[in-house]
Amino acid sequence: MKIYTLMLGPMSNCTYIVENEGQAILIDPSWDMAAIYKLLENKSLKPVAVFFTHAHQDHMTNADQLLKKYGLKGYLEEKDETFCELPNNLIETYKAPKEFKFAGLNIEVLLTPGHTRGSVCIKIDNVLFTGDTLFVNSVGRTDLPGANPDNLIQSLTMLAGLPQDTVIYSGHSYGINDGFKSTIKQELATNPYLKMAKENPKILEDML
Ligand SMILES: [Zn+2]
């Protein structure tokens, strides 16, 4: 398994391409489809599945073009369908938690509501794509419609309990030095939100 990261659009959205056996799983393809096509073509990868971590528009801008080009549907957790701006016929909804198998990989989708009701984290081996639930040194906003701070605390507490060597790839590059990649161990040490989720969720209520 190999992971390619493309930082695209005005909000440093991360599109992830997970390669295995010549096939590719795409996570949050957005903004610059030409850049995504170019990488897929350069590496001779066939896209076999597209997942969205949640339905905020910045995570799926222009993704309709990619889905049509490759004849795919984008997997979206059903609770985010109500505000999804992609055409219905390009979306496949499901109820998380759920497991999928694509490109010879087991894909475990964890329901991690808080930033949105249908936010998910996508786990492949020891890698976790966290969308806007967990960032390097920070967490997703809870002041937007559909967000819920209490739910985010529960989700963060769950993530804080994952094996510490779990590698995280977040939905935006908001960290120090353009950071989008970290580990649960590192975030427990330096991310005040994840640290408090583990040690004292009550205090976290005042931080969000
Ligand atoms: Zn978002």
Side-chain angles (χ1 to χ4, degrees), residues 53-59 115-116 119 131-132 135 141 144 172:
T53 56
H54 62 299
H56 279 156
Q57 183 61 16
D58 59 311
H59 292 254
H115 178 65
T116 65
S119 279
D132 285 3
F135 297 125
R141 291 173 63 173
L144 301 167
H172 292 266

